[in-house]
Tab-separated table of all heavy atoms in Angstrom:
chain	number	residue	atom	x	y	z
R	438	LEU	N	-7.972	30.272	23.476
R	438	LEU	CA	-6.839	31.226	23.536
R	438	LEU	C	-7.334	32.645	23.659
R	438	LEU	O	-6.704	33.454	24.395
R	438	LEU	CB	-5.999	31.051	22.272
R	438	LEU	CG	-5.226	29.732	22.133
R	438	LEU	CD1	-4.562	29.656	20.776
R	438	LEU	CD2	-4.204	29.568	23.254
R	439	ALA	N	-8.407	32.985	22.984
R	439	ALA	CA	-8.967	34.331	23.095
R	439	ALA	C	-9.357	34.625	24.544
R	439	ALA	O	-9.103	35.725	25.073
R	439	ALA	CB	-10.192	34.489	22.197
R	440	ALA	N	-9.955	33.645	25.220
R	440	ALA	CA	-10.345	33.827	26.623
R	440	ALA	C	-9.138	34.098	27.502
R	440	ALA	O	-9.171	34.967	28.386
R	440	ALA	CB	-11.117	32.615	27.112
R	441	ARG	N	-8.055	33.372	27.271
R	441	ARG	CA	-6.841	33.580	28.073
R	441	ARG	C	-6.235	34.975	27.788
R	441	ARG	O	-5.796	35.671	28.708
R	441	ARG	CB	-5.817	32.500	27.769
R	441	ARG	CG	-6.142	31.171	28.394
R	441	ARG	CD	-5.916	31.215	29.903
R	441	ARG	NE	-6.384	29.980	30.506
R	441	ARG	CZ	-7.163	29.902	31.573
R	441	ARG	NH1	-7.583	31.026	32.147
R	441	ARG	NH2	-7.506	28.765	32.073
R	442	LEU	N	-6.213	35.368	26.558
R	442	LEU	CA	-5.631	36.669	26.220
R	442	LEU	C	-6.446	37.812	26.820
R	442	LEU	O	-5.889	38.830	27.258
R	442	LEU	CB	-5.526	36.823	24.695
R	442	LEU	CG	-4.493	35.909	24.034
R	442	LEU	CD1	-4.725	35.809	22.525
R	442	LEU	CD2	-3.077	36.407	24.327
R	443	VAL	N	-7.764	37.669	26.858
R	443	VAL	CA	-8.621	38.661	27.519
R	443	VAL	C	-8.355	38.653	29.027
R	443	VAL	O	-8.199	39.705	29.647
R	443	VAL	CB	-10.103	38.369	27.242
R	443	VAL	CG1	-11.005	39.215	28.151
R	443	VAL	CG2	-10.435	38.642	25.764
R	444	GLU	N	-8.248	37.466	29.622
R	444	GLU	CA	-7.965	37.356	31.055
R	444	GLU	C	-6.668	38.030	31.421
R	444	GLU	O	-6.563	38.693	32.468
R	444	GLU	CB	-7.917	35.873	31.424
R	444	GLU	CG	-7.517	35.576	32.864
R	444	GLU	CD	-7.253	34.100	33.068
R	444	GLU	OE1	-8.048	33.264	32.582
R	444	GLU	OE2	-6.239	33.765	33.735
R	445	TRP	N	-5.652	37.908	30.551
R	445	TRP	CA	-4.357	38.515	30.818
R	445	TRP	C	-4.320	40.000	30.498
R	445	TRP	O	-3.332	40.666	30.792
R	445	TRP	CB	-3.265	37.808	29.997
R	445	TRP	CG	-3.050	36.359	30.359
R	445	TRP	CD1	-3.303	35.769	31.565
R	445	TRP	CD2	-2.539	35.314	29.495
R	445	TRP	NE1	-2.997	34.432	31.506
R	445	TRP	CE2	-2.510	34.135	30.271
R	445	TRP	CE3	-2.123	35.283	28.177
R	445	TRP	CZ2	-2.067	32.916	29.734
R	445	TRP	CZ3	-1.680	34.087	27.646
R	445	TRP	CH2	-1.643	32.914	28.425
R	446	GLY	N	-5.368	40.506	29.863
R	446	GLY	CA	-5.429	41.924	29.548
R	446	GLY	C	-4.702	42.315	28.279
R	446	GLY	O	-4.462	43.513	28.056
R	447	PHE	N	-4.395	41.330	27.412
R	447	PHE	CA	-3.643	41.640	26.200
R	447	PHE	C	-4.571	42.047	25.034
R	447	PHE	O	-4.115	42.673	24.087
R	447	PHE	CB	-2.793	40.443	25.782
R	447	PHE	CG	-1.716	40.094	26.775
R	447	PHE	CD1	-1.077	38.866	26.738
R	447	PHE	CD2	-1.330	40.984	27.763
R	447	PHE	CE1	-0.106	38.516	27.645
R	447	PHE	CE2	-0.337	40.672	28.680
R	447	PHE	CZ	0.281	39.431	28.634
R	448	ILE	N	-5.831	41.637	25.074
R	448	ILE	CA	-6.819	42.079	24.094
R	448	ILE	C	-8.093	42.430	24.870
R	448	ILE	O	-8.314	41.963	25.981
R	448	ILE	CB	-7.126	41.019	23.008
R	448	ILE	CG1	-7.602	39.710	23.622
R	448	ILE	CG2	-5.904	40.801	22.109
R	448	ILE	CD1	-7.991	38.660	22.604
R	449	GLU	N	-8.918	43.246	24.235
R	449	GLU	CA	-10.135	43.733	24.891
R	449	GLU	C	-11.236	42.701	24.779
R	449	GLU	O	-11.480	42.124	23.715
R	449	GLU	CB	-10.560	45.054	24.247
R	449	GLU	CG	-11.787	45.686	24.922
R	449	GLU	CD	-12.180	47.004	24.277
R	449	GLU	OE1	-11.369	47.523	23.482
R	449	GLU	OE2	-13.307	47.477	24.536
R	450	GLY	N	-11.920	42.426	25.900
R	450	GLY	CA	-13.018	41.459	25.944
R	450	GLY	C	-14.355	42.128	25.690
R	450	GLY	O	-14.418	43.286	25.266
R	451	PRO	N	-15.428	41.366	25.929
R	451	PRO	CA	-15.400	39.988	26.400
R	451	PRO	C	-14.846	39.005	25.378
R	451	PRO	O	-14.677	39.341	24.199
R	451	PRO	CB	-16.877	39.686	26.711
R	451	PRO	CG	-17.641	40.637	25.857
R	451	PRO	CD	-16.799	41.881	25.743
R	452	ALA	N	-14.586	37.762	25.827
R	452	ALA	CA	-13.878	36.795	25.003
R	452	ALA	C	-14.604	36.473	23.716
R	452	ALA	O	-13.979	36.329	22.653
R	452	ALA	CB	-13.615	35.521	25.814
R	453	ASP	N	-15.935	36.343	23.784
R	453	ASP	CA	-16.696	36.028	22.562
R	453	ASP	C	-16.537	37.124	21.518
R	453	ASP	O	-16.366	36.865	20.317
R	453	ASP	CB	-18.171	35.830	22.883
R	453	ASP	CG	-18.439	34.501	23.589
R	453	ASP	OD1	-17.526	33.622	23.551
R	453	ASP	OD2	-19.534	34.338	24.176
R	454	ARG	N	-16.591	38.381	21.991
R	454	ARG	CA	-16.414	39.511	21.077
R	454	ARG	C	-15.004	39.493	20.492
R	454	ARG	O	-14.833	39.706	19.283
R	454	ARG	CB	-16.650	40.818	21.819
R	454	ARG	CG	-16.303	42.057	20.982
R	454	ARG	CD	-16.414	43.351	21.833
R	454	ARG	NE	-15.981	44.519	21.083
R	454	ARG	CZ	-14.696	44.904	20.968
R	454	ARG	NH1	-13.751	44.195	21.572
R	454	ARG	NH2	-14.392	45.979	20.280
R	455	ALA	N	-14.020	39.246	21.324
R	455	ALA	CA	-12.626	39.201	20.854
R	455	ALA	C	-12.455	38.135	19.774
R	455	ALA	O	-11.800	38.370	18.743
R	455	ALA	CB	-11.687	38.922	22.017
R	456	TYR	N	-13.089	36.972	19.984
R	456	TYR	CA	-12.969	35.898	18.987
R	456	TYR	C	-13.666	36.293	17.695
R	456	TYR	O	-13.120	36.092	16.598
R	456	TYR	CB	-13.546	34.578	19.521
R	456	TYR	CG	-13.597	33.515	18.473
R	456	TYR	CD1	-12.448	32.838	18.097
R	456	TYR	CD2	-14.789	33.224	17.810
R	456	TYR	CE1	-12.479	31.876	17.089
R	456	TYR	CE2	-14.839	32.265	16.808
R	456	TYR	CZ	-13.676	31.600	16.452
R	456	TYR	OH	-13.701	30.659	15.451
R	457	GLU	N	-14.880	36.816	17.776
R	457	GLU	CA	-15.609	37.180	16.589
R	457	GLU	C	-14.866	38.225	15.751
R	457	GLU	O	-14.932	38.236	14.525
R	457	GLU	CB	-17.017	37.679	16.952
R	457	GLU	CG	-17.894	36.623	17.610
R	457	GLU	CD	-18.098	35.383	16.776
R	457	GLU	OE1	-18.066	35.501	15.513
R	457	GLU	OE2	-18.263	34.282	17.354
R	458	LEU	N	-14.168	39.121	16.440
R	458	LEU	CA	-13.380	40.154	15.734
R	458	LEU	C	-12.004	39.653	15.318
R	458	LEU	O	-11.276	40.361	14.601
R	458	LEU	CB	-13.221	41.377	16.624
R	458	LEU	CG	-14.509	42.148	16.947
R	458	LEU	CD1	-14.237	43.276	17.936
R	458	LEU	CD2	-15.146	42.688	15.673
R	459	GLY	N	-11.626	38.438	15.763
R	459	GLY	CA	-10.322	37.871	15.426
R	459	GLY	C	-9.163	38.549	16.138
R	459	GLY	O	-8.017	38.445	15.684
R	460	LEU	N	-9.412	39.215	17.285
R	460	LEU	CA	-8.366	39.942	17.967
R	460	LEU	C	-7.241	39.041	18.461
R	460	LEU	O	-6.080	39.449	18.559
R	460	LEU	CB	-8.948	40.739	19.138
R	460	LEU	CG	-10.047	41.754	18.816
R	460	LEU	CD1	-10.445	42.523	20.060
R	460	LEU	CD2	-9.608	42.707	17.694
R	461	GLN	N	-7.574	37.766	18.751
R	461	GLN	CA	-6.563	36.843	19.240
R	461	GLN	C	-5.500	36.546	18.203
R	461	GLN	O	-4.386	36.083	18.514
R	461	GLN	CB	-7.220	35.521	19.721
R	461	GLN	CG	-7.508	34.491	18.629
R	461	GLN	CD	-8.732	34.864	17.769
R	461	GLN	OE1	-9.453	35.820	18.027
R	461	GLN	NE2	-8.966	34.077	16.717
R	462	ARG	N	-5.797	36.842	16.930
R	462	ARG	CA	-4.864	36.482	15.851
R	462	ARG	C	-3.559	37.280	15.920
R	462	ARG	O	-2.559	36.857	15.322
R	462	ARG	CB	-5.550	36.695	14.505
R	462	ARG	CG	-6.694	35.708	14.242
R	462	ARG	CD	-7.373	35.940	12.929
R	462	ARG	NE	-6.456	35.773	11.808
R	462	ARG	CZ	-6.780	36.024	10.537
R	462	ARG	NH1	-8.005	36.454	10.248
R	462	ARG	NH2	-5.891	35.829	9.567
R	463	ARG	N	-3.566	38.408	16.652
R	463	ARG	CA	-2.289	39.103	16.848
R	463	ARG	C	-1.268	38.181	17.461
R	463	ARG	O	-0.069	38.277	17.213
R	463	ARG	CB	-2.494	40.348	17.702
R	463	ARG	CG	-1.192	41.129	17.985
R	463	ARG	CD	-1.401	42.303	18.901
R	463	ARG	NE	-0.143	42.974	19.218
R	463	ARG	CZ	0.291	44.096	18.636
R	463	ARG	NH1	-0.443	44.671	17.695
R	463	ARG	NH2	1.439	44.638	18.989
R	464	PHE	N	-1.727	37.253	18.311
R	464	PHE	CA	-0.837	36.394	19.089
R	464	PHE	C	-0.921	34.923	18.673
R	464	PHE	O	-0.061	34.147	19.063
R	464	PHE	CB	-1.148	36.523	20.571
R	464	PHE	CG	-1.107	37.936	21.068
R	464	PHE	CD1	-2.260	38.641	21.343
R	464	PHE	CD2	0.106	38.582	21.256
R	464	PHE	CE1	-2.245	39.940	21.807
R	464	PHE	CE2	0.150	39.895	21.709
R	464	PHE	CZ	-1.022	40.577	21.990
R	465	THR	N	-1.959	34.556	17.895
R	465	THR	CA	-2.074	33.144	17.481
R	465	THR	C	-1.645	32.937	16.043
R	465	THR	O	-1.338	31.819	15.621
R	465	THR	CB	-3.509	32.617	17.649
R	465	THR	OG1	-4.399	33.325	16.772
R	465	THR	CG2	-3.973	32.791	19.061
R	466	MET	N	-1.659	33.988	15.255
R	466	MET	CA	-1.086	34.044	13.920
R	466	MET	C	-1.836	33.184	12.882
R	466	MET	O	-2.391	33.664	11.922
R	466	MET	CB	0.394	33.656	13.917
R	466	MET	CG	1.267	34.562	14.761
R	466	MET	SD	1.568	36.136	13.970
R	466	MET	CE	2.667	35.624	12.644
Side-chain angles (χ1 to χ4, degrees):
L438 292 174
R441 284 288 174 229
L442 291 164
V443 169
E444 175 190 316
W445 295 334
F447 297 163
I448 57 177
E449 183 179 347
D453 286 345
R454 172 186 175 276
Y456 173 77
E457 296 302 330
L458 294 175
L460 302 184
Q461 83 284 354
R462 293 178 61 185
R463 178 183 177 100
F464 305 105
T465 65
M466 299 285 289

